[in-house]
Amino acid sequence: SPEMPLDEKLRAVARGIYGASEVTFTDGALHHLKEFEARGFGQLPVCVAKTQYSLTDQPHIRGVPEGFAIHIRDVEVRAGAGFILALAGDMMTMPALPPRPRAWEIDLAADGSIRGVA
C-alpha cells in the first residue's frame, strides 16, 4: 500500500516475494528512509537490488531457503523513475545517465571522421 512506511514496504517485498523471515537495516539505511518520508517520498513504491543468483542477498545460498534475513545496507531515491531503491548485500548499481547523454553529441563527418568524442 502506498500509505505504508517505506521500511514496512521493504519488509512486505522481502517476505512476500523472496520468502525472507526477517529484514535488517543498517542505521544509515533507516536514517535515509525516515529522511525520504520527511521529504515527501514516502508514497513511492520500493525496489530491491540484490543478487540474481539467490532469493536471499547472498549469491552462494541456492534453491528455496527458509529462515533467512535480507540485509538492507542503504537506500536511494530514484525520483525520476519514481521509486525507492534498496541495496541488499554487495549489489552494485549502474550510474544513471545525465539528462542529455554524450552519445547525442557524437556524429560522423562527411570525410568519415568522428566528431564529438573527446
Side-chain angles (χ1 to χ4, degrees):
S1 164
E3 296 78 26
M4 292 171 65
L6 292 171
D7 63 325
E8 287 302 316
K9 290 178 191 179
L10 288 166
R11 284 185 179 93
V13 169
R15 289 178 180 144
I17 304 297
Y18 302 125
S21 60
E22 182 183 359
V23 181
T24 63
F25 298 88
T26 63
D27 290 341
L30 286 173
H31 173 77
H32 287 142
L33 288 173
K34 296 301 177 198
E35 181 180 327
F36 299 161
E37 289 173 346
R39 292 183 180 208
F41 296 111
Q43 300 290 315
L44 292 178
V46 297
C47 179
V48 180
K50 61 166 213 54
T51 181
Q52 70 270 27
Y53 300 113
S54 176
L55 291 172
T56 75
D57 60 346
Q58 301 172 40
H60 65 278
I61 299 177
R62 302 296 172 105
V64 184
E66 294 181 3
F68 66 92
I70 288 186
H71 309 284
I72 306 298
R73 65 178 168 83
D74 203 2
V75 290
E76 301 174 353
V77 173
R78 298 296 169 100
F83 62 87
I84 302 295
L85 176 64
L87 303 170
D90 292 330
M91 180 56 66
M92 293 174 35
T93 60
M94 296 198 51
L97 291 173
R100 182 163 174 83
R102 288 280 300 153
W104 291 58
E105 308 304 324
I106 298 173
D107 195 13
L108 189 61
D111 66 0
S113 64
I114 300 173
R115 293 187 285 198
V117 177

